[in-house]
Amino acid sequence: MPTTEHGDAAIALTRELMARPSVTPSDAGCQEIMGGRLAAVGFACEQLRFGEVDNLWASRGSSGPTLVFAGHTDVVPPGPAENWRYPPFTPSEDGALLYGRGAADMKASLAAMVVATEAFVTDHPAHAGRIAFLITADEEGPARDGTTRVVDVLQDRGERLDWCIVGEPSSSKALGDVVKNGRRGSINGLLTIRGLQGHIAYPQLADNPIHTALPALQALVNEPWDEGNEFFEPTRLQFGNINAGTGATNVIPGQLSAQFNVRFSTETSEAAIRQRCEQIISEHARDFDIEWQVSGQPFLTEPGALVDAAAESIAAVTGHRPALSTGGGTSDGRFIARTGAQIVELGPVNASIHQIDEHILVADIPRLTAIYHGILVRLLGS
């Protein structure tokens, strides 16, 4: 598929989706547009609504391995419109760039996926396996009624997912220079250390939780959790907030709270992190507790059918092979990983995502379409 073929269609669909103000949890009709085009080329489309969130599951084919395109139609709020070069929901080309909220994260990816699939099924109407789309409007928000709920439904039905391409903006400096083949796990802790409030001039009558906490927090920071591995950097703990005090200058506070996050590799586990944190703190504090919240488990797709197909398709379009990475934040890939599917994240350059004047190179949209098309050909071409 030459990069110019179907390029205008992909650019036009990107603009059409960007014009919809689909701030989480609103889909603003994006899934209807995508579903209509997919239905026209033989997809069975199903709307799955949970709470305020619209989700789309669309599939074509009845047997064999399943390749899923996954993504989200929701976008983060644009902020003050007057700070944008152009209105955030009016797609605007300026030179080589297309400006607007969702340009890179991730409506260009959605458009490229749809157009690539239209072209592929037209050329390969009897393609091997199945093609599916899992699209949500709850990725940028709480992520409770989106992909995770759809995955629950699919697993209850016994649906088989073999390969998944998540259209997150994975590229760093040039399209296709980085492919995410996994993500670190993420666990949040809210630590409370209790002491005894008192007058600051009579410390012998109080128990200062700040003094108790300092060596405990430093020990957590210094803990060598693991050394990482070939695909993951070492596990890291970072504090996001520490709070104590009453606002008065002459009062020893009665308690201290500290919020921290651990991004962890496959070399450790959620249970091991909890146990070690509690052990370290207990060596310094007598009265404490930790509230835990797990945002996601680590997952990894090692080089194989999907990673190879992505790398080969990128090389065919761009002339270079991608680096593999598991860095960055979480994505909906963490929910899809529960199915056992191989997962890669492959999308536009991420330099402007969530920013004022979010943008994408117009020329990258046809090229991304060609990359997705090339993966389809390599995995399901008949």
Side-chain angles (χ1 to χ4, degrees):
M1 180 186 188
T3 57
T4 53
E5 189 176 356
H6 305 289
D8 288 345
I11 294 168
L13 181 54
T14 299
R15 295 174 63 98
E16 186 177 4
L17 296 175
M18 288 172 58
R20 302 293 180 118
S22 54
V23 176
T24 311
S26 173
D27 168 72
C30 293
Q31 292 174 28
E32 182 179 0
I33 294 170
M34 296 176 63
R37 294 183 67 136
L38 292 171
V41 290
F43 279 76
C45 297
E46 181 180 4
Q47 285 290 335
L48 297 170
R49 184 174 176 86
F50 301 105
E52 297 181 290
V53 177
D54 288 313
N55 304 284
L56 172 66
W57 172 253
S59 63
R60 188 182 195 275
S62 58
S63 63
T66 301
L67 170 63
V68 180
F69 286 109
H72 60 91
T73 54
D74 61 317
V75 298
V76 295
E82 61 271 20
N83 293 344
W84 283 71
R85 182 174 305 188
Y86 304 101
F89 293 109
T90 301
S92 305
E93 289 189 35
D94 187 343
L97 300 177
L98 174 63
Y99 287 88
R101 178 58 84 224
D105 190 13
M106 54 174 288
K107 291 183 176 178
S109 295
L110 297 177
M113 290 171 171
V114 170
V115 173
T117 300
E118 290 172 335
F120 175 76
V121 300
T122 299
D123 294 338
H124 303 269
H127 60 79
R130 303 169 67 221
I131 308 171
F133 280 72
L134 196 172
I135 309 299
T136 185
D138 185 35
E139 195 274 344
E140 300 289 9
R144 290 191 297 262
D145 291 322
T147 299
T148 186
R149 295 288 298 273
V150 178
V151 168
D152 288 343
V153 170
L154 298 177
Q155 290 189 302
D156 287 344
R157 294 177 182 174
E159 290 269 9
R160 170 182 170 181
L161 307 184
D162 296 272
W163 305 302
C164 179
I165 302 168
V166 184
E168 290 292 345
S170 62
S171 302
S172 178
K173 295 181 179 179
L175 179 66
D177 61 354
V178 175
V179 166
K180 305 281 188 182
N181 66 321
R183 291 280 189 165
R184 296 171 295 175
S186 177
I187 182 170
N188 295 297
L190 178 59
L191 167 66
T192 300
I193 295 179
R194 285 174 286 271
L196 178 63
Q197 183 173 318
H199 196 295
I200 208 160
Y202 300 94
Q204 70 276 16
L205 301 179
D207 180 9
N208 196 324
I210 298 176
H211 295 183
T212 300
L214 289 176
L217 303 188
Q218 190 63 56
L220 290 174
V221 170
N222 292 339
E223 176 68 13
W225 303 95
D226 60 51
E227 297 181 357
N229 56 36
E230 178 184 359
F231 295 103
F232 287 90
E233 63 184 42
T235 293
R236 301 179 188 278
L237 181 147
Q238 292 289 318
F239 282 95
N241 188 52
I242 299 174
N243 185 59
T246 65
T249 60
N250 60 351
V251 177
I252 292 172
Q255 71 177 36
L256 172 145
S257 63
Q259 179 273 323
F260 61 91
N261 175 269
V262 184
R263 296 298 167 106
F264 60 103
S265 77
T266 51
E267 293 296 306
T268 189
S269 68
E270 167 199 340
I273 291 168
R274 291 188 187 203
Q275 181 181 23
R276 184 62 182 136
C277 284
E278 291 170 3
Q279 178 184 346
I280 289 171
I281 297 165
S282 68
E283 294 170 359
H284 302 275
R286 293 186 304 273
D287 187 3
F288 73 93
D289 60 59
I290 307 178
E291 296 179 19
W292 296 101
Q293 179 188 37
V294 180
S295 301
Q297 299 290 343
F299 64 92
L300 175 69
T301 296
E302 297 196 27
L306 180 59
V307 171
D308 293 348
E312 291 167 6
S313 186
I314 290 169
V317 173
T318 69
H320 60 75
R321 294 181 69 85
L324 299 179
S325 170
T326 60
T330 58
S331 78
D332 274 4
R334 69 191 189 274
F335 304 127
I336 299 166
R338 300 202 304 258
T339 69
Q342 297 177 37
I343 301 168
V344 296
E345 298 176 25
L346 169 55
V349 173
N350 56 28
S352 69
I353 61 174
H354 292 207
Q355 296 181 9
I356 300 293
D357 290 336
E358 180 181 349
H359 59 268
I360 186 173
L361 277 170
V362 177
D364 277 352
I365 300 173
R367 297 201 302 160
L368 183 59
T369 305
I371 290 170
Y372 290 153
H373 183 272
I375 297 173
L376 283 163
V377 170
R378 286 168 173 81
L379 292 177
L380 297 178
S382 57

